[in-house]
């Protein structure tokens, strides 16, 4: 039976924002809680949340959630180490994982239906990689077949999973997700989000 695990990357220090973006309020929850609940409702488990900066305070938000929370001690080196640590943990708790979905905590418009559409597209397209398409690029949320796990585990430093998507264009199916371009890096990003969603 095919098993998809979900990885939520939430280890960053939010330097440009000046406060932990993971904890910013949005729709009566934090940004991180929103994406955790979306992941859980998509019907695929386990969900692994990888923390780094501010891990102690952020972890408290997740005590009631049915997720595996890990702390990546090497988070300052970049996203590559967080992807590696979380995938290693996912494979420990679910050794027969056949694909992994990577999510970021700062894309507030990720929905359960979007995630289900990604799963469906992987099946219907027969492709090993499925990625959201927005602006003039592709990226997260992105679904990786297990044959790409060795490449995910070899990422280091600032390298993200997008590198793998771009290296294998013939194996990528894309799903149109224009709101994927909206992520929260600065105070003005956050203010725009609240204004546009009427909060």
């Amino acid at each position: 039976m095919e098993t998809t695990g979900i990885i939520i990357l939430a280890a960053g220090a939010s330097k440009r924002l000046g406060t932990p973006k993971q904890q910013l309020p949005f729709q009566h929850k934090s940004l991180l809680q929103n994406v955790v609940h979306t992941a859980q409702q998509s019907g695929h488990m386990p969900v692994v949340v990888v923390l780094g900066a501010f891990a102690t305070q952020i972890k408290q938000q997740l005590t009631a959630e049915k997720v595996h929370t890990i702390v990546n001690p090497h988070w300052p080196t970049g996203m590559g180490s967080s992807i590696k640590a979380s995938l290693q943990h996912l494979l420990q708790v679910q050794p027969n994982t056949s694909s992994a979905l990577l999510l970021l905590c700062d894309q507030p418009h990720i929905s359960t239906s979007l995630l289900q559409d990604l799963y469906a597209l992987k099946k219907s397209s027969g492709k090993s990689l499925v990625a959201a398409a927005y602006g003039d690029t592709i990226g997260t949320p992105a679904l990786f077949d297990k044959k790409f796990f060795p490449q995910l585990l070899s990422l280091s430093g600032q390298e993200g999973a997008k590198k793998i998507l771009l290296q294998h264009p013939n194996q990528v199916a894309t799903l149109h997700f224009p709101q994927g371009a909206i992520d929260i890096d600065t105070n003005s990003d956050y203010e725009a989000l609240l204004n546009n969603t009427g909060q």
Side-chain angles (χ1 to χ4, degrees):
M1 189 176 123
E2 294 216 343
T3 305
T4 298
I6 299 177
I7 289 169
I8 299 173
L9 300 167
S14 312
K15 284 181 182 171
R16 283 193 283 168
L17 194 68
T19 188
K21 68 172 76 173
Q22 300 91 329
Q23 296 186 301
L24 290 175
F26 180 59
Q27 294 178 341
H28 312 296
K29 303 172 197 165
S30 69
L31 280 179
L32 180 54
Q33 286 170 324
N34 264 286
V35 74
V36 164
H37 293 168
T38 299
Q40 290 172 328
Q41 290 161 9
S42 74
H44 289 270
M45 303 291 271
V47 177
V48 176
V49 180
V50 57
L51 303 177
F54 319 110
T56 305
Q57 64 193 80
I58 295 169
K59 216 174 192 176
Q60 293 170 354
Q61 283 186 4
L62 301 174
T63 51
E65 307 294 346
K66 291 179 179 175
V67 296
H68 297 264
T69 305
I70 65 166
V71 179
N72 171 26
H74 307 295
W75 70 266
T77 64
M79 190 182 286
S81 68
S82 289
I83 292 172
K84 181 176 180 178
S86 50
L87 181 55
Q88 285 174 333
H89 189 81
L90 175 61
L91 293 172
Q92 281 174 6
V93 297
Q94 186 62 269
N96 64 337
T97 299
S98 54
S99 58
L101 177 68
L102 266 58
L103 303 177
L104 299 179
C105 73
D106 67 346
Q107 285 179 300
H109 295 295
I110 293 171
S111 65
T112 303
S113 61
L114 174 77
L115 302 187
Q116 290 169 340
D117 287 347
L118 287 167
Y119 304 136
L121 182 56
K122 185 173 186 293
K123 279 188 176 176
S124 65
S125 68
K127 302 280 189 180
S128 301
L129 301 166
V130 182
Y134 39 85
D136 56 357
T137 191
I138 57 174
T140 53
L143 187 55
F144 292 79
D145 188 85
K146 65 182 178 183
K147 77 179 196 180
F148 285 99
F149 287 0
Q151 291 188 42
L152 287 169
L153 291 169
S154 69
L155 292 172
S156 62
Q158 299 297 326
E159 293 177 333
K162 184 175 177 179
K163 171 187 173 184
I164 298 168
L165 299 174
L166 296 177
Q167 284 175 338
H168 302 278
N170 294 336
Q171 299 193 53
V172 181
T174 58
L175 185 67
H176 189 52
F177 176 44
Q179 289 179 303
I182 298 169
D183 57 13
I184 309 304
D185 287 325
T186 64
N187 277 308
S188 58
D189 291 339
Y190 182 51
E191 287 166 12
L193 173 68
L194 298 183
N195 289 336
N196 292 334
T197 52
Q199 292 206 43

